[in-house]
Amino acid sequence: MNRTITQRGLRNEIAAVMDAVEAGGRNPKPRKNDLMIAATAVANRLPLYTANVDDFKGLESMLEVVGVRRA
């Protein structure tokens, strides 16, 4: 399935991810780069693999966060 993500669509996903983080009582600004990665995963319906699962707390309803161990 080939799905093209528009710039507007990605902006909407970023806003939704930041809103979810704020709703969880966390400040999204210090983790804005991580949240842009999360929004990209949401927009593309992909899981997000990370060694820092805590950075994505509160987003479980939006995307699958998969913890990995550092090598």
Side-chain angles (χ1 to χ4, degrees), residues 37-48:
I37 293 168
T40 302
V42 170
N44 287 287
R45 299 180 185 145
L46 296 169
L48 188 144

Side-chain angles (χ1 to χ4, degrees), residues 43-54:
N44 287 287
R45 299 180 185 145
L46 296 169
L48 188 144
Y49 291 83
T50 179
N52 300 310
V53 174
D54 289 343

